[in-house]
Amino acid sequence: MTYEFTIIVPVYNEEDNLERVEKELGHYLAICTKKAKVLFVNDGSKDKSQEIIEAICQRNVDFHFIKFAQNRGLSAAIKAGFDHVDTPLLGYIDSDLQTSPEDFNLLLQHIGPYDLVTGFRENRKDSPIKNASSLIANGIRRAFTDDGMDDTGCPLKVIKTDYAKRIPMFKGLHRFLPAMILLQKGTIIQIPIRHFPRMAGTAKFGLWNRLLGPLMDCFAYLWMKKKYINYQIERIG
């Protein structure tokens, strides 16, 4: 069976959400415009997430998983997904399902001429503090990166795999994926998508790692931009 699209789902202590993830992603795979599969990346969960993930994968041939020995954070989970994907296209979605898998089809419509298509949460269903801190953080990142993106933290993206595999990920850099595609001379676009309240589980990001942490990450990005190696091979003899 030839797959064209892999959906990466980072998981950390999401036992209350995973059966809904199975239901919604299972439904989406039937209507996806590409032949798709799902890759869970369990980031060292301490609850029953792994048990549930393994049960999901046993009853769904299109579902697979990676399990970390220890918690390493969202950037590491996304990077591991990138490293293990073997399809031309990849995407990722958070396991809290505050975005809908069905909206992947909106992003896939645009991936042809673009190398990264990211969602933009037009009407966010988060708390005022969370919305305000994200707005400020996005403004700071946009000033540092000049990537033109209004919502780099949106957990719904589609990327051409060859570009994703060349991203030198480090902790916090998942917030700079559009900018890292631009460093490769790739093309990016943002598309409005729906956003929903969290139905179960707890958010993994607070004020520090939503606002002050990303500010420090901006300086790491500037260092990366200065040192980044990018080349194109014209001929091989």
Side-chain angles (χ1 to χ4, degrees):
M1 184 179 299
T2 302
Y3 292 97
E4 303 170 280
F5 181 43
T6 301
I7 300 169
I8 299 166
V9 186
V11 176
Y12 180 64
N13 293 344
E14 293 285 1
E15 61 181 7
D16 295 330
N17 277 315
L18 287 172
E19 290 185 356
R20 190 164 67 94
V21 170
E22 176 189 16
K23 179 180 179 181
E24 293 204 18
L25 279 174
H27 169 73
Y28 173 66
L29 292 184
I31 64 171
C32 182
T33 56
K34 305 287 184 181
K35 179 58 180 175
K37 59 182 175 179
V38 175
L39 178 62
F40 290 110
V41 183
N42 184 0
D43 182 23
S45 296
K46 298 177 175 62
D47 61 2
K48 295 182 180 179
S49 290
Q50 182 61 26
E51 178 183 332
I52 298 170
I53 287 171
E54 292 189 26
I56 291 172
C57 293
Q58 285 177 358
R59 57 181 177 254
N60 295 278
V61 67
D62 298 323
F63 286 66
H64 309 273
F65 72 85
I66 297 169
K67 180 182 182 295
F68 281 7
Q70 298 172 313
N71 175 244
R72 285 293 179 257
L74 180 57
S75 289
I78 293 173
K79 173 61 173 170
F82 289 0
D83 289 343
H84 285 79
V85 164
D86 59 2
T87 53
L89 299 173
L90 63 85
Y92 78 85
I93 186 171
D94 279 357
S95 49
D96 60 19
L97 289 184
Q98 286 193 257
T99 53
S100 171
E102 292 184 10
D103 286 346
F104 272 125
N105 280 349
L106 297 176
L107 307 189
L108 287 168
Q109 289 177 17
H110 297 272
I111 195 62
Y114 295 96
D115 303 306
L116 175 146
V117 184
T118 183
F120 167 57
R121 296 166 288 185
E122 276 193 311
N123 186 19
R124 291 186 61 170
K125 306 297 183 181
D126 289 321
S127 69
I129 292 177
K130 186 175 179 181
N131 285 338
S133 62
S134 292
L135 182 65
I136 295 170
N138 275 302
I140 293 171
R141 280 192 293 271
R142 194 162 53 247
F144 273 78
T145 64
D146 193 29
D147 61 12
M149 298 290 103
D150 298 307
D151 188 12
T152 59
C154 178
L156 197 76
K157 290 179 172 64
V158 172
I159 312 174
K160 290 180 179 174
T161 299
D162 56 345
Y163 280 82
K165 287 183 179 292
R166 291 196 297 265
I167 295 174
M169 296 284 283
F170 59 85
K171 189 174 182 179
L173 201 63
H174 63 273
R175 303 180 181 96
F176 296 85
L177 291 178
M180 295 307 295
I181 299 299
L182 290 178
L183 283 184
Q184 299 180 47
K185 308 303 181 183
T187 53
I188 62 177
I189 190 174
Q190 60 182 0
I191 302 297
I193 62 166
R194 297 170 292 172
H195 191 244
F196 305 92
R198 176 182 267 271
M199 300 296 292
T202 57
K204 308 304 185 294
F205 293 91
L207 180 61
W208 167 256
N209 50 20
R210 191 178 302 281
L211 184 56
L212 300 180
L215 176 59
M216 293 189 297
D217 292 340
C218 286
F219 292 100
Y221 165 77
L222 290 182
W223 178 88
M224 176 67 69
K225 182 177 180 180
K226 183 178 180 181
K227 301 292 185 178
Y228 186 74
I229 296 173
N230 188 44
Y231 63 88
Q232 291 181 321
I233 296 175
E234 182 176 350
R235 296 176 65 189
I236 296 178

